[in-house]
Amino acid sequence: MAILPAEMSKERFDWLSKIAGEVIATPGCESNVKEIFDKTWELRRTRDDVVIFNQFEEMGNCIWHYQVTGNAIAEAFESIKGEGDRLAGACFTSGSAGTMSAGDLLKEKYPHLKLAVGEALQCPTLLENGFGGHRIEGIGDKHVPWIHNVKNTDMVIDIDDDDSQNLLRLFNSEEGKKYLVEKAGVPAETVEQLSLMGISGIANMLCCIKMAKYYELTEHDIVATVCTDSAIMYESRIKELDEQQGAYSELAAAYDFAKHLQGVRTDAMLELSYQDRKRVHNLKYYTWVEQQGKTYEEINQQWYDEHYWTDMHEQAADLDKLINAFNEKTGVLAEL
Ligand SMILES: Cc1ncc(COP(=O)(O)O)c(C=O)c1O
């Protein structure tokens, strides 16, 4: 059973309905996650055959990204780095903050690395305790996820959803791709790969650009991120933009390139001081302790107990054993 907000893309609903027995649409858009939580509490109360996996609070989510995504990024960097290159930063927009945990591993391996969390400017929860609806599907839900290791986060970067939305069209329409190759001088093989970024992937890339500008990084500094899904999930969104703004043209492509990519600046971002981090961490109280049943002791442990996160990450080996045992029991992996 999968639960997600009704206003998310049609492609996402189609995809989920293929893998979930039942898909429940809760009211609202991407940032209406409280409504999903309410639904899960209703299911807990009314059915005894459900187990809730809430990505925002399951530590398995962050352990997985620490172990798998973190090491994958480190391996990728080691395989491409040239003489004098360093992994200077990593940026992840936060939905559940699972991918953010890759940064915890990277900071252990590359202690100088700066770790940034991204969100939508239209829902600036981390930047200014703000709220609002936005169009970067998969991130930004008007709360701080329970599994976000805020104390280890160096920077908050907000991305205007108008930038990611319009770049989606630039990167995925014939006119846009032609402009990028012929007028902007982007190699054709790079342009062909741009559809690997969905809307939040584009927002991730924009976070990296903002971080690079903020810290005045050079050609020897590499900033890592992830493509959380691809443009295939958002063809209907591109159609919507065509309907609202008219068919895409070379002029529109030039405008989008200049405004939404080259025009990206170091606004709406904050390098976090100790007190800033604490302010973000403290916001967890209202969602998790007041509403969702977490304890006062544990929220304090997350901040004050220096072993809380490292002990969590060390569970990976035991979890692997359980996963292997489960796979053996079901026999599905062997069949594949
Ligand atoms: C499309 C998309 N982008 C970004 C994210 C955010 O990743 P995370 O939940 O690891 O913060 C998600 C995950 O939920 C997603 O589905």
Side-chain angles (χ1 to χ4, degrees):
M1 208 188 280
I3 310 175
L4 73 166
E7 289 170 30
M8 293 190 84
S9 82
K10 177 184 173 308
E11 291 86 339
R12 192 177 294 259
F13 274 95
D14 292 346
W15 166 70
L16 266 176
S17 59
K18 282 191 207 123
I19 54 171
E22 191 182 335
V23 180
I24 300 175
T26 45
C29 68
E30 168 54 48
S31 63
N32 289 74
V33 162
K34 169 70 167 52
E35 288 75 357
I36 298 181
F37 289 168
D38 292 347
K39 188 63 167 180
T40 60
W41 283 108
E42 181 194 311
L43 289 170
R44 268 194 195 98
R45 275 194 300 271
T46 54
R47 291 177 59 155
D48 52 14
D49 61 342
V50 296
V51 176
I52 308 291
F53 288 108
N54 177 344
Q55 61 168 337
F56 304 95
E57 66 173 310
E58 287 295 337
M59 288 298 172
N61 181 1
C62 73
I63 296 169
W64 196 90
H65 282 292
Y66 172 88
Q67 195 69 22
V68 180
T69 311
N71 279 308
I73 291 174
E75 272 172 36
F77 168 68
E78 293 299 330
S79 72
I80 58 152
K81 76 172 179 197
E83 175 117 21
D85 286 351
R86 52 175 214 151
L87 191 57
C91 303
F92 305 95
T93 50
S94 164
S96 65
T99 49
M100 270 297 288
S101 314
D104 286 352
L105 179 106
L106 295 173
K107 285 184 80 158
E108 286 169 17
K109 282 187 183 283
Y110 308 96
H112 56 265
L113 175 141
K114 297 289 185 190
L115 175 59
V117 61
E119 65 180 358
L121 179 64
Q122 285 74 9
C123 183
T125 308
L126 306 172
L127 192 64
E128 50 192 40
N129 298 0
F131 47 86
H134 67 87
R135 296 175 296 167
I136 308 180
E137 297 189 29
I139 71 156
D141 305 305
K142 295 197 216 115
H143 71 251
V144 183
W146 181 245
I147 64 170
H148 184 173
N149 183 2
V150 181
K151 211 173 185 178
N152 208 21
T153 305
D154 300 304
M155 178 174 265
V156 173
I157 304 177
D158 279 22
I159 300 299
D160 193 324
D161 70 1
D162 217 28
D163 289 336
S164 42
Q165 216 74 8
N166 285 293
L167 289 178
L168 179 76
R169 194 158 71 136
L170 175 69
F171 293 170
N172 293 286
S173 63
E174 285 316 311
E175 280 295 338
K177 289 196 265 187
K178 193 158 167 274
Y179 178 85
L180 289 170
V181 175
E182 290 176 7
K183 299 283 163 53
V186 184
E189 58 274 23
T190 306
V191 171
E192 280 317 310
Q193 292 195 320
L194 293 176
S195 62
L196 292 176
M197 287 184 284
I199 300 172
S200 59
I202 293 172
N204 277 348
M205 176 199 70
L206 292 172
C207 287
C208 295
I209 295 173
K210 289 178 86 162
M211 175 187 268
K213 288 193 173 184
Y214 183 92
Y215 288 117
E216 302 178 314
L217 300 183
T218 73
E219 67 272 30
H220 285 301
D221 296 309
I222 290 171
V223 182
T225 191
V226 287
C227 298
T228 22
D229 64 2
S230 74
I232 206 156
M233 285 292 189
Y234 305 104
E235 280 163 10
S236 60
R237 297 299 190 211
I238 299 173
K239 249 189 235 145
E240 274 167 28
L241 284 172
D242 285 344
E243 279 159 21
Q244 284 159 11
Q245 300 177 10
Y248 213 47
S249 63
E250 184 181 327
L251 189 62
Y255 180 82
D256 285 344
F257 182 70
K259 179 162 193 239
H260 299 292
L261 196 56
Q262 289 192 311
V264 170
R265 310 226 181 282
T266 52
D267 55 349
M269 60 195 291
L270 180 71
E271 191 171 24
L272 298 176
S273 67
Y274 185 85
Q275 291 303 330
D276 292 326
R277 291 173 208 217
K278 188 140 195 218
R279 189 254 310 154
V280 176
H281 167 80
N282 286 346
L283 259 193
K284 282 187 183 179
Y285 179 84
Y286 305 98
T287 305
W288 297 107
V289 180
E290 275 198 351
Q291 290 172 15
Q292 305 299 328
K294 297 293 183 198
T295 65
Y296 180 82
E297 286 71 28
E298 198 176 351
I299 193 172
N300 280 334
Q301 264 181 312
Q302 285 197 351
W303 187 261
Y304 293 108
D305 178 351
E306 57 180 313
H307 301 295
Y308 181 91
W309 296 100
T310 46
D311 286 356
M312 195 74 71
H313 297 145
E314 278 170 15
Q315 290 175 20
D318 289 338
L319 287 173
D320 268 348
K321 280 189 206 142
L322 290 170
I323 291 167
N324 286 337
F326 178 80
N327 283 337
E328 262 172 46
K329 202 168 156 190
T330 64
V332 173
L333 193 62
E335 274 174 33
L336 294 173

